[in-house]
Amino acid sequence: MTRPISRIRGTGGGHAPQKPVETSPAVSDEVKTTTCYMCACRCGIRVHLKDGAVRYIEGNRDHPVNKGVLCAKGSAGIMQQYSPARLTKPLKRVGKRGEATFEEIEWDEALDIATRWLGEVRETDPRRLAFFTGRDQSQALTGWWASQFGTPNHAAHGGFCSVNMAAAGIYTIGGSFWEFGVPDWEHTRHFLLFGVAEDHDSNPMKAGLAQLKARGAKFTSINPVRTGYSAIADEWLGITPGTDGLFILALVHELLRAGKVDVDYLARYTNAPWLVIRDPGGTEDGLFARDSAGRPLCWDRVREAPGDPLAAETAPALKGEVTLPDGRRAVPAFHMMAERYLDPGHGPDAVAARTGIPAATIRRVAAEIAHAAFEQVVELDQPWTDWAGRRHDKTIGRPVAMHAMRGISAHANGFHTCRALHLLQMLLGAIDCPGGFRYKPPFPRPAPPAAKPAGHAGQIGPGRPMAGPPLGFPMAPEDLLVEADGTPRRIDKAFSWEAPLAVHGMMHTVIANAHNADPHEIDTLFLYMANMAWNSAMNTAGTMDMLTARDEASGEYRIPRVIYADAYYSEMVAYADLVLPDTTYLERWDCISLLDRPISDADGPADAIRQPVVAPDRDVRPFQDVLLALGARLGLPGFAREDGGARYPGGYAEYLVEHERKPGVGMLAGWRGANGEAEGQGAPNPGQLDAYIAHGCYWRQELEPGQRYFKHANRDYLDYAVAMGFIDAAEPITLQLYCEPLQRFRLAARGHGAARPPEVHRTRIETYFDPLPFWYAPFDEGEASGFPFHAVTQRPAAMYHSWGSHNAWLRQLHGHNRLYVPAAAAEAEGLADGDWVWITSRHGRVKGRVRLMEGVNERTVWTWNAIGRRAGAGNLDPAAPEARESFLLNHLIEDLLPAREGGHRYANADPVTGQAAWYDLRVRIEKAAPAEAGEAAPAFAPLARPPGLRAPPAMVRQGAKQAPAE
Ligand code: SF4
């Protein structure tokens, strides 16, 4: 807008007219919408382009995720686009692995090499391909590709991220936090946030907290460290790491003791009334009593007979042991639960010292959430109808909402802790009600969904696809992927007796297992966007050694071939034999699909795309296009036509539109049908991507008001979910307070059934497959003598793992890290701000500088995650503060637990799901000698700069393009 300066000043009389001032200069000659990818939150953005280059990024105000909000990372996307760390051309290793000595090759040669390697594997034993991806957002494609290739050895990063949170949610409530659920920011009265500093759900979380604050609702943060969101919490509880389960179960104890539980909700929507057989030593002990059709039974307290818990006329009992007509004894699941948690061992006095939270505080918090749930009930003037046809005139809710993520998840006891949190929500009746946790469509789904992991002996063979997806939800020992002797079939040992419910796989174990040929050898390790030679690995130095280790007899690498795809020069690039350079997120098509992890909110399903807003100025290709091309060259049925041609010659954009997972269901739900008239299900629409672009690159559908709450039991919603293809049948989804699948594994450990664990695993399965949540000490505790501090990492708001540590703007915010130490502990150790210290675990030691702080648990030290880089990585100056002043805590974390009886070593992970137990780390700190100050340790040989990358300029400036490499 141009305004005369005289009018701006409000004067003008007597002065000569002056030149108008441009107060809103046009910064761009074109604006394109797409989806941010500077973290996993997937906000909508508007990218301003000037002369074909990215000039400015702003939030899309119409977008359902961020409503215009953009964070520091999102706006710094411009510096990601013009980062000096961008790879520029396919690379073939010419020196030793790990030296980063490459030559540039053309794409044809790169694809020929990959096709030859992968083709040999597929035609002999497809399991010899391990295909794992990091924090990419195309798992609906990559999982499909793996199953078409025929390998079960596939997963994404979830196993080392927060699979405990996801698995506990999916097995318990048929949904989960973040992508599958959200706090009801509009109505909650008390919000409890567990183990979250800066979340995956970043901008929505900030907006939600602002909404809470404006309404005066209470916000309690439970976190060892008071950073990020905790800084604005009304109450911060600096819990000791790994004890969240104790705290949560103490709240459960208090609520049960006070009778502050929603018995109607429990009886109607959960399996609390389902009868559990009591037959110690018997084959059915701990399983649900079922009728002849396999339906679970409850006890009808009016008829005094077994009943159908889902029938409207049944009056289910929640307590009391009963004798079934066939003579078996049984009790409601609620009865068992109450017996357990009313035990004084779960009371506040018993857990206060260990959690670091005073007993009186625990009692008060329990009373406060009970008050909010039962005295501040939310009543919406909105009728709805339940599955049995009962009409409810109002929608009534218990306004206590919770959210949690990696802080409670990344422990060896994380699965049960996360289940305990869902149990607490159920007791309060606070799931999918006004003020509570709310599902995001396409969730809820049956808990768990029916899909099982494929990879059994008969499902795999040379030259053919695998009969099913590589990931799924085991319900019983028969679903495990194990050999006849019980040893694992997958390279990561997911879905074996070592981690039966590893529903996101165990990427963190792949390199060590492949190196050890345990359980089998592999030929090719194919990784995408996963910095496994640095911040995505435990035992980081050991992992680098394993990637370069050779077989003594043959002299060949123990992991024979490594293919790696990445857009940037991460540490992992140096360990690849073949590098496939990816584009940036602003240069490619992408999709955020309902088949994967969509962008829905509680009031409606939504998905989104990325469109290329600029053309690559380097010889790089979108990884998704490369995967499609490889699939076609390999003749994979989903990717090649019968005549041998590519099924999607137009690349990923064509795949997004044309591919159908089942008739009418594709990657995108909006504008389906020949003319774009259908939503959810419908024929492919050639104009679909244009329709998305015209609509800001997203699609969203609004639920009817009567469909929005109690989705697990809401007839109108369930009918809608079937019509949209979200679920198969419009049947109520019962919340699983008692998790029967766990008991099936436990019975196997007790010697029942055909599929039983090998002797070495029996005690472990018996112990940890408890159908009710329980707390146990993290496994490292036993080895913790001499290591008095818990050590954890947090992700800052302005940096997403190592993604941003080559970004010129974000580096200015977080160019180095410090070890934050409780001030009192530092004083006791004689440490002052800025001192150099050695940080030692049972596995190794690193050196860094300390900073003292008050807002941290007295037994905990912490640092920012992945600020420390290997010298030369990210095309940073080897003397950059990320390399010289910064440290990586990963070096201290062992990938295996100490040997147990019999010598077996388990992964450093949760025994139920295989989730990497990053946060179980214990350390001691000692002041470094004066001569040792000044440089972080360990220091690895600087990585050489690969061909195609130029020495970074002294200053990376906005708008200044990198000159092409010489
Ligand atoms: S939170 Fe920030 S970085 Fe993440 S998607 Fe949104 S704008 Fe991008």
Side-chain angles (χ1 to χ4, degrees), residues 36-43 69-71 73-74 202-203:
C36 183
Y37 203 172
M38 291 296 289
C39 83
C41 180
R42 297 153 301 169
C43 298
V69 174
L70 198 69
C71 78
K73 303 182 293 280
S202 184
N203 279 341

Side-chain angles (χ1 to χ4, degrees), residues 127 179 197 300 348 396 416 589 704 734:
R127 280 203 306 164
E179 290 143 316
D300 190 322
I396 299 173
H416 280 283
W589 292 100
E704 296 296 329
T734 303

